[in-house]
Amino acid sequence: MNSSPFPVVLFSKLFMEVIDGNEIAAQIISELKVEVNSFSQERPTVLFIRVGEDPASVSYVRKKQNTAKKIGITSQLLVLPDSITQEDLLDAISKANADQEIHGILVQAPLPAHIDERKVFNHVNPTKDVDGFNATNLGKLCQEMEEGFTSCTPAGILEILKRKKIVTEGKHVVVLGRSLIVGKPAGMLLLRKGIPGNATVTFCHSRTPDLAKFTQKADIIIVAIGKPQFLTADMVSTGTTIIDVGINRLADSAKKSGFRLVGDVDYDKVAPLCSAITPVPGGVGPMTVAMLMSNTVKAFKLSLETSYS
Ligand code: NDP
């Protein structure tokens, strides 16, 4: 893009923005709190279903429940043994689907290997699918139907771009990763007609040869592959906006926990080249939880509309 990188690097160093996901998430949470307080009596209620005692899942669900509490959303937790059969798990979801007092249902992934995650996600009533993993909601996303639920991480990415006024129209967005929960929906959101959106989107994955050929031509790169510090400075042009979704643990004896979290981007070397970048931690992660809360409030409002119609 630029043959003499020095002045551009200097320029972008001066104007590079580290996007504070915690700050944006806090804004969303306080907006939701005001909205929830305005509801006359009933409160939105979300049910978390956790299978087993995987420490990461325990911690994620706890974090989500704490955030719900701050907003005034009621949360319930159903913990099931990791020996549970698929049939029994589907039965538990059916009960929650039928319970009028539960507005949102989230089945915490990953699930044990003997459970078919896709079947489980598709069993959640689409009007309670606050995670947005259900095939109906993914279809609604493709049809650009506003009433559907968008999975929380891609919704969080879109909200970052919107609130930071990062122009996507006419831009080239390269998405690294094509998972159903991050890569695909993130790309679909940016492809849709609207703002943010109207971008030209390229999806890359593990079978894409010469990734740098695509990333070097991107205006915006969304990286969601789960490989620590994968996107290196030689793959990025100056002035690019980078959204780093990856959450990876790197061993670090200086930390009490024995590890530190890093993203999919080689942050220290790539950040100076960017016009804006999300850090890890503190970028996309907090947005995911905030958008889950937003989806729960949306599910509650949807339940009110359907009960009065
Ligand atoms: P998946 O494992 O489901 O998907 C990874 C994707 O990356 C796949 O499409 C895979 O390609 C692609 N990929 C893997 N290796 C390469 C490579 N060398 N070059 C190009 N593409 C590659 O992961 P998720 O989408 O669920 O998550 C991605 C990352 O985001 C993880 O670190 C996860 O922890 C994090 N995450 C963070 C969240 C947050 O709140 N911040 C929420 C959700 C996830 P292929 O399809 O060909 O296998």
Side-chain angles (χ1 to χ4, degrees):
M1 269 185 179
N2 191 294
S3 53
S4 75
F6 178 68
V8 181
V9 170
L10 198 65
F11 176 83
S12 58
K13 257 186 182 161
L14 290 174
F15 292 100
M16 187 266 287
E17 178 175 12
V18 178
I19 297 172
D20 187 343
N22 282 314
E23 188 182 277
I24 306 173
Q27 274 165 12
I28 294 169
I29 286 165
S30 81
E31 288 160 15
L32 289 171
K33 195 172 172 182
V34 171
E35 189 175 5
V36 168
N37 276 332
S38 74
F39 298 144
S40 51
Q41 279 172 337
E42 228 187 322
R43 288 284 178 259
T45 299
V46 58
L47 171 70
F48 296 104
I49 300 180
R50 200 187 79 216
V51 179
E53 298 297 328
D54 169 57
S57 293
V58 171
S59 151
Y60 284 140
V61 171
R62 192 183 304 124
K63 200 182 272 179
K64 290 168 187 173
Q65 287 198 283
N66 287 342
T67 308
K69 196 172 170 193
K70 267 191 218 159
I71 296 172
I73 292 173
T74 305
S75 73
Q76 298 177 9
L77 173 62
L78 176 62
V79 180
L80 299 168
D82 54 14
S83 58
I84 192 165
T85 62
Q86 173 136 320
E87 207 184 353
D88 286 347
L89 177 55
L90 295 183
D91 278 350
I93 295 170
S94 295
K95 283 199 189 93
N97 282 339
D99 187 337
Q100 307 249 329
E101 290 184 4
I102 292 172
H103 309 108
I105 301 168
L106 181 148
V107 184
Q108 183 65 45
L111 293 168
H114 67 279
I115 306 266
D116 180 340
E117 275 192 359
R118 216 167 280 192
K119 274 202 178 127
V120 169
F121 296 145
N122 285 338
H123 201 68
V124 175
N125 183 324
T127 64
K128 299 188 178 191
D129 173 35
V130 287
D131 238 351
F133 295 167
N134 186 288
T136 301
N137 282 315
L138 286 164
K140 285 183 176 175
L141 172 64
C142 290
Q143 289 197 352
E144 304 187 12
M145 293 169 74
E146 284 298 324
E147 76 268 22
F149 292 96
T150 306
S151 51
C152 304
T153 304
I157 294 170
L158 204 75
E159 203 59 32
I160 286 176
L161 296 170
K162 193 159 111 189
R163 291 189 186 230
K164 286 289 158 190
K165 299 189 171 54
I166 292 168
V167 176
T168 58
E169 179 157 311
K171 301 294 180 189
H172 182 204
V173 176
V174 172
V175 183
L176 299 190
R178 56 176 167 179
S179 74
L180 272 181
I181 64 166
V182 189
K184 263 187 207 146
M188 291 307 299
L189 282 171
L190 286 157
L191 191 62
R192 68 183 188 164
K193 291 178 186 161
I195 293 181
N198 288 339
T200 303
V201 180
T202 302
F203 287 95
C204 299
H205 45 78
S206 67
R207 306 297 171 96
T208 307
D210 196 4
L211 277 178
K213 191 174 78 188
F214 299 96
T215 53
Q216 282 163 353
K217 290 197 181 121
D219 298 301
I220 299 172
I221 306 175
I222 298 173
V223 202
I225 64 174
K227 299 248 181 304
Q229 301 167 327
F230 179 87
L231 190 80
T232 46
D234 56 309
M235 299 169 82
V236 176
S237 293
T238 45
T240 310
T241 293
I242 298 192
I243 307 291
D244 188 356
V245 183
I247 302 178
N248 309 288
R249 287 180 176 193
L250 274 194
D252 186 344
S253 55
K255 299 269 178 197
K256 206 170 139 196
S257 59
F259 66 85
R260 67 190 160 96
L261 292 182
V262 297
D264 288 348
V265 176
D266 186 5
Y267 185 87
D268 289 344
K269 299 211 176 76
V270 171
L273 298 172
C274 297
S275 58
I277 186 165
T278 58
V280 177
V284 175
M287 293 299 294
T288 300
V289 181
M291 297 320 287
L292 170 67
M293 299 302 140
S294 172
N295 276 351
T296 303
V297 172
K298 183 174 174 177
F300 172 69
K301 291 196 286 192
L302 203 66
S303 77
L304 295 182
E305 279 167 30
T306 41
S307 59
Y308 289 124
S309 58

